[in-house]
Amino acid sequence: HQARPILSKIRSDQDKAALSTLLDSDVPETLLQQQAPHVKQAYEFLHKTPDAVFIDCRSEMEYLFVGHPAGAIHVAWNDGPNWDINPEFVAHVKKATSVNRPIILICRSGNRSLDAGRALEEAGFTKVYNVLHGFEGELDAGHHRGAKTGWRFEGLPWEQC
């Protein structure tokens, strides 16, 4: 069994506009799954889709101390000290939701959540979405996050310990 490709990154404003149109249409779910919503589109999707589950798959320390989107539940894909992949990730997600509910995954920059999403798709989840640029966003010229893109950069609701 080969997993379907998960959520390619949107790279242009034209692609972002196309996804926005898809979010407002009755296009089959499989077409939407091949797109990664920008953080604002993910936020809108979560509000328009009350059965969606929002999962932050970063480490516990990132979730608690860097902050996390308001309303996101935490299920670590991998965690310190060795950064091993969490062997219980899929099982924990299955406890939080069913395989046919939409799942929005977010991590620091949108990369770890791709791997987590692939694992969920391989386990039978059918509506898995990865948030483009994640919580902290891309690196800027000075190798800092949070200055160009991301959930926090866009001013979307977040919490911190």
Side-chain angles (χ1 to χ4, degrees):
H1 175 276
Q2 186 176 0
R4 290 182 321 277
I6 182 174
L7 315 173
S8 60
K9 291 188 177 184
I10 296 174
R11 302 207 186 276
S12 71
D13 289 336
Q14 184 178 10
D15 288 340
K16 290 175 191 174
L19 177 62
S20 182
T21 301
L22 285 174
L23 287 172
D24 294 331
S25 69
D26 292 327
V27 173
E29 208 62 40
T30 54
L31 291 177
L32 187 59
Q33 285 173 249
Q34 295 175 16
Q35 301 293 329
H38 183 273
V39 290
K40 286 186 177 180
Q41 291 165 324
Y43 179 76
E44 290 170 11
F45 181 81
L46 287 163
H47 285 296
K48 290 180 182 179
T49 314
D51 65 331
V53 178
F54 194 18
I55 298 175
D56 187 324
C57 63
R58 295 175 299 149
S59 72
E60 182 178 22
M61 291 301 184
E62 288 172 295
Y63 181 83
L64 294 174
F65 298 114
V66 176
H68 56 271
I73 62 172
H74 179 245
V75 181
W77 169 244
N78 59 357
D79 214 338
N82 297 326
W83 295 100
D84 294 327
I85 293 173
N86 177 2
E88 300 298 318
F89 177 78
V90 172
H92 289 304
V93 173
K94 283 183 176 180
K95 286 181 183 179
T97 186
S98 62
V99 296
N100 60 350
R101 287 177 67 187
I103 296 175
I104 304 291
L105 291 170
I106 194 167
C107 65
R108 179 183 63 186
S109 59
N111 294 316
R112 272 180 282 180
S113 51
L114 284 171
D115 292 334
R118 284 187 191 99
L120 292 175
E121 284 190 333
E122 289 171 6
F125 286 84
T126 58
K127 300 175 185 175
V128 179
Y129 308 96
N130 171 57
V131 178
L132 183 67
H133 303 307
F135 185 71
E136 295 181 65
E138 299 173 292
L139 291 171
D140 66 12
H143 291 92
H144 299 111
R145 295 191 187 275
K148 290 176 57 174
T149 58
W151 189 272
R152 279 195 319 190
F153 176 80
E154 295 292 346
L156 297 172
W158 64 283
E159 303 168 327
Q160 186 175 29
C161 285

